[in-house]
Amino acid sequence: MNAHTPRQAPPEGEQEAQLLSRTARDLPAGRHQLHKERLMARIQQEQRETTTAPDGGRRFRLPRPAVTLPLMAAALAGVVVAGVLKNDGEGVRDGGAATAALPTVEIGTATTKGMPQLLDRISLAAAKAPHPTVRPGQYVYIESKAADVYLRHVEDEVTLGNHALHRRQVWKSSDGTKGWLIDPSVNDGPEGETLSGTDEKGNVPVAGLNHPSYDYLADLTTDPDQLLALIYKETKGQGNSPDQQAFTTIGDLLGESYPPAKLYPALFKAAEKIPGVVVVPKAVDAVGREGVAVARLDEVSGEREEWIFDKKSHVFLGSRTVQIEERPEDEGLIKPGQVTHTHAVLKRAVVDGMKQTPSTD
């Protein structure tokens, strides 16, 4: 099924489908690419599905939660996840499979000391690393592992839900019009689902900062000031603040795209110019690799977004989000130090075909 094409809504599901549509529009735009992709995949694929009720009638099929939503977005979307997950004290269950919670970690000290020097070393390392050109007909392949924690609203009750660490594989064509996703937290089956085709309005998605393709990235300016100005312009009104959204946008490009070699230094130089960017001396990615993080605190959500790099090679390892400040709306479930999202990039390569992996090239 086309991931962007909604199914025909049954008459009895029209009200609920409209609710889901409104919820999707109300979510902060331009958040982490994983957040956006999973939210839209679940809503667009399942918002108008129906299932057979035990009495033989038809009922509206509510989507599984978009588990990588930021916590504020999860609160907005909470009305659509009622009754989907169960917590029996042994972990959150989704489809009968128990999952383990993410850890609470030491928040650690964040500092601006040494931040420019660190970004310079990261930039130099990125420029020296091999960056193959993606030709027409080829695909960027990225394999990673990820896990998430989110707030789940069921009627008047708020509980903590999560998806355990799982493998994620993404293929994207050089022009961004074709793709494939295999991710058990999103897909209904192990074979995955297409990312090709049109959106819910029947339009072919146009590449941009929130939907980057290799071809699009190859044409971006490499002047840090101009690049940062473009990021602020293209993401205006998105996220919790312009500065946080700019930081998040660059992080998205690092995590699940393949920027050309000439663009990497500009991305890091642009990040250096964003107010509030700091260094966290110790951070661990989703598979336990320890590194140093370039980070920024979201003043609205109280979460600190961290990009994690190897301390010696300065290669990008992955990212994580840590709750730094306790918020009343979290009902005490999200404590300071709670990791709410973690991601580790394992493979990044160029392949010649959809669903082809580097090991089969």
Side-chain angles (χ1 to χ4, degrees):
M1 172 186 170
N2 189 318
H4 302 286
T5 304
R7 300 177 182 175
Q8 182 64 39
E12 61 268 34
E14 288 178 355
Q15 182 176 356
E16 293 90 340
Q18 292 169 1
L19 172 61
L20 288 169
S21 178
R22 290 198 302 272
T23 302
R25 290 196 300 271
D26 290 342
L27 293 172
R31 296 288 285 169
H32 300 287
Q33 184 64 26
L34 298 180
H35 299 163
K36 296 177 294 184
E37 182 178 88
R38 293 180 184 181
L39 170 67
M40 295 311 298
R42 293 318 324 154
I43 289 180
Q44 290 171 2
Q45 283 199 344
E46 296 194 60
Q47 66 176 346
R48 296 178 181 179
E49 285 189 74
T50 57
T51 58
T52 301
D55 60 1
R58 302 183 78 196
R59 67 185 181 198
F60 184 75
R61 182 183 177 190
L62 293 173
R64 295 200 307 267
V67 299
T68 52
L69 290 173
L71 295 177
M72 290 185 68
L76 280 171
V79 67
V80 306
V81 301
V84 179
L85 297 179
K86 297 180 180 179
N87 190 336
D88 58 5
E90 298 178 355
V92 176
R93 295 180 178 271
D94 185 355
T99 60
L102 290 178
T104 297
V105 299
E106 291 185 11
I107 292 175
T109 303
T111 178
T112 57
K113 184 178 180 180
M115 189 268 292
Q117 293 83 357
L118 175 61
L119 282 171
D120 283 344
R121 292 193 291 270
I122 291 171
S123 180
L124 287 172
K128 292 178 181 179
H131 293 278
T133 299
V134 186
R135 300 188 305 272
Q138 290 187 310
Y139 294 82
V140 171
Y141 169 75
I142 299 175
E143 179 180 335
S144 59
K145 285 195 174 182
D148 300 271
V149 165
Y150 62 97
L151 291 179
R152 179 169 54 91
H153 292 234
V154 179
E155 297 179 349
D156 295 330
E157 183 180 6
V158 182
T159 56
L160 191 64
N162 65 83
H163 267 194
L165 189 67
H166 58 275
R167 184 190 191 198
R168 174 181 171 88
Q169 295 171 282
V170 177
W171 291 261
K172 296 179 181 178
S173 64
S174 62
D175 63 2
T177 61
K178 298 179 182 179
W180 196 266
L181 171 67
I182 299 177
D183 184 330
S185 74
V186 177
N187 308 139
D188 286 323
E191 72 282 356
E193 63 193 51
T194 182
L195 298 178
S196 307
T198 58
D199 61 19
E200 67 276 7
K201 295 182 180 180
N203 301 318
V204 175
V206 177
L209 287 171
N210 289 328
H211 181 65
S213 67
Y214 178 86
D215 294 347
Y216 171 82
L217 296 177
D219 288 337
L220 285 181
T221 177
T222 57
D223 178 276
D225 292 308
Q226 293 179 16
L227 179 60
L228 186 59
L230 175 65
I231 291 172
Y232 277 112
K233 179 181 178 181
E234 293 298 318
T235 62
K236 185 178 180 179
Q238 300 175 4
N240 289 331
S241 72
D243 292 333
Q244 185 62 36
Q245 185 56 37
F247 187 80
T248 294
T249 298
I250 295 175
D252 289 345
L253 298 179
L254 298 177
E256 206 157 85
S257 71
Y258 210 158
K262 64 180 182 178
L263 185 62
Y264 266 108
L267 289 172
F268 294 120
K269 290 293 185 181
E272 184 180 333
K273 298 174 182 294
I274 299 173
V277 175
V278 296
V279 173
V280 178
K282 182 179 179 180
V284 179
D285 73 3
V287 294
R289 297 177 298 190
E290 186 175 316
V292 59
V294 176
R296 191 181 191 282
L297 175 67
D298 186 330
E299 298 89 346
V300 176
S301 69
E303 293 178 311
R304 187 171 67 200
E305 182 179 342
E306 303 175 352
W307 309 337
I308 305 171
F309 299 86
D310 184 271
K311 288 184 176 181
K312 294 182 179 180
S313 68
H314 298 103
V315 170
F316 179 75
L317 300 177
S319 63
R320 73 176 182 182
T321 303
V322 180
Q323 191 71 35
I324 303 299
E325 301 171 354
E326 190 166 1
R327 303 186 309 153
E329 55 265 44
D330 292 342
E331 304 279 343
L333 294 172
I334 305 293
K335 305 289 186 182
Q338 172 69 62
V339 177
T340 57
H341 171 74
T342 182
H343 179 249
V345 176
L346 303 181
K347 294 181 183 179
R348 197 190 306 261
V350 177
V351 296
D352 293 326
M354 187 90 79
K355 293 189 276 186
Q356 186 180 46
T357 64
S359 60
T360 59
D361 288 351

